Amino acid sequence: MCVVTAQMSTHRFVYRWVVPSDPTPAATTGATPYALAVDFGGTKVEAALVDADGRLVAGSRQRRPTGRTATVPELEESVGGVVRASAASLPADGRIVGVGIGSAGPVDRRLGLVSPLNVPHWRDYPMRDFVSRVAAELGLDVPVTLEMDGVAITMAEHWVGAAQGVDNVMGMVISTGIGGGLIVGGRVITGPTGNAGHIGHVEVGELRGEDTFGNPYALEAMASGPHTVAWARQHGFAGGTGEELAAAYAAGDPVARAAIARTGEAVGRAIASATALLDLELVAIGGGFSHSTPDLFDHMRSVVEQHYFPFVRKVRIVPSALSSEGPLIGAAALIHRAHLLP
């Protein structure tokens, strides 16, 4: 708790935390410390209890829907529901020491606001304050920390995943949307608003996607799962999901193979640009659509291997080592590894 107090006094504009009434560390009381992790995305919100070694507590993982049509009351019901249900699964010898929230962005980490692009009814929604109220109702007097989900997933990979021992890392998620986060020189880079690493909205020249967010040249507009499927459908693909596209790719369907190759090229260009800017050593990629085929990674690597700078060609592009648990482990890292945050 001494680290938390120091961050509060130095950066009180970043977190609206409540100082615990019992400052005695959990380790000295004999209670096992757990973070209550919350991952909010474009289709679902999940919560779980995670221990100090990055392991989810069995039976604590909860999931409820979000989505483009969900209203504010419905979203609050989903978020509050998973928080309450996960907290109720606390082991008898355990203690919740903080709540970490990784949310689809953009976010405002100073004020604790979220504006997830794929959840239009939440614009500048006070997510941190809402979760803090739910925690208080449960009798939890603990820190509540909000960061963009890309930051959380990158911290998870650095902690217990594919980026262990590497201090210049970009984590990426390729799913309903495309997100990212950065660790440079062993420190998490959030930027003043909390949106550093938002790789899904860099522009990728020449390739054109859908005009969903007013910019058809943004990476997400062409390379997320739904947008890749949309491009394939425009070229004759009869399926409607990423899973169906992956199956068609495996069966040798030429349109599916062209769609995956196009997405891999776009992501590879974005990674090359980020590496040229930040001298990255490794990029770890997770998210449902990243599992469509291992060839997706080959297409990305092919782009990077052709770059004219050797320091860009050196970057390694690897799959996430954390499967579907990565975002929750990352949200827990906001509590268990808070010392890496600004």
Side-chain angles (χ1 to χ4, degrees), residues 7-43:
Q7 287 188 340
M8 288 176 63
S9 61
T10 305
H11 297 293
R12 59 184 180 275
F13 60 92
V14 174
Y15 306 107
R16 298 171 69 179
W17 287 358
V18 178
V19 178
S21 56
D22 175 12
T24 306
T28 64
T29 65
T32 302
Y34 295 101
L36 202 168
V38 180
D39 172 54
F40 184 90
T43 58

Side-chain angles (χ1 to χ4, degrees), residues 41-110:
T43 58
K44 62 181 172 57
V45 58
E46 290 192 302
L49 296 175
V50 182
D51 69 17
D53 293 317
R55 296 175 300 212
L56 271 65
V57 173
S60 71
R61 189 171 183 175
Q62 305 292 326
R63 175 176 176 168
R64 294 199 181 182
T66 57
R68 296 191 65 85
T69 62
T71 64
V72 171
E74 290 170 340
L75 293 166
E76 290 180 341
E77 177 64 24
S78 288
V79 173
V82 296
V83 169
R84 295 182 184 96
S86 288
S89 65
L90 181 69
D93 64 346
R95 179 185 181 195
I96 295 174
V97 295
V99 181
I101 309 166
S103 176
V107 303
D108 184 328
R109 74 190 299 262
R110 183 177 67 87

Side-chain angles (χ1 to χ4, degrees), residues 115-306:
S115 301
L117 287 172
N118 292 299
V119 185
H121 286 105
W122 268 9
R123 289 294 175 264
D124 290 330
Y125 178 80
M127 166 82 96
R128 188 176 58 210
D129 285 352
F130 174 74
V131 174
S132 295
R133 289 196 300 272
V134 174
E137 291 168 4
L138 297 172
L140 297 175
D141 192 11
V142 296
V144 177
T145 303
L146 169 74
E147 296 286 355
M148 189 170 67
D149 55 358
V151 170
I153 190 63
T154 305
M155 292 181 70
E157 296 291 347
H158 186 259
W159 183 16
V160 293
Q164 293 179 73
V166 182
D167 282 340
N168 296 282
V169 177
M170 180 168 66
M172 288 185 67
V173 175
I174 303 177
S175 187
T176 306
I178 295 180
L182 297 166
I183 292 177
V184 178
R187 302 290 295 181
V188 177
I189 305 299
T190 65
T193 65
N195 293 291
H198 215 144
I199 189 72
H201 290 270
V202 301
E203 293 191 12
V204 182
E206 298 180 8
L207 296 177
R208 181 185 177 97
E210 295 187 290
D211 200 16
T212 306
F213 306 117
N215 182 4
Y217 297 100
L219 178 63
E220 183 171 308
M222 64 190 70
S224 71
H227 290 316
T228 302
V229 171
W231 183 90
R233 286 179 61 83
Q234 291 168 10
H235 291 79
F237 175 62
T241 68
E243 291 81 4
E244 291 170 333
L245 186 70
Y249 183 96
D253 181 270
V255 174
R257 298 186 78 84
I260 293 292
R262 177 178 179 274
T263 286
E265 179 184 356
V267 176
R269 290 189 188 189
I271 289 173
S273 295
T275 302
L277 182 66
L278 297 167
D279 199 5
L280 299 170
E281 299 173 84
L282 184 142
V283 177
I285 303 177
F289 195 67
S290 72
H291 304 303
S292 56
T293 169
D295 292 354
L296 179 61
F297 285 80
D298 292 337
H299 290 300
M300 299 175 202
R301 293 172 184 135
S302 178
V303 172
V304 171
E305 287 166 0
Q306 297 172 38

Side-chain angles (χ1 to χ4, degrees), residues 276 303-313:
V303 172
V304 171
E305 287 166 0
Q306 297 172 38
H307 200 278
Y308 43 88
F309 282 145
F311 82 90
V312 172
R313 296 197 298 268

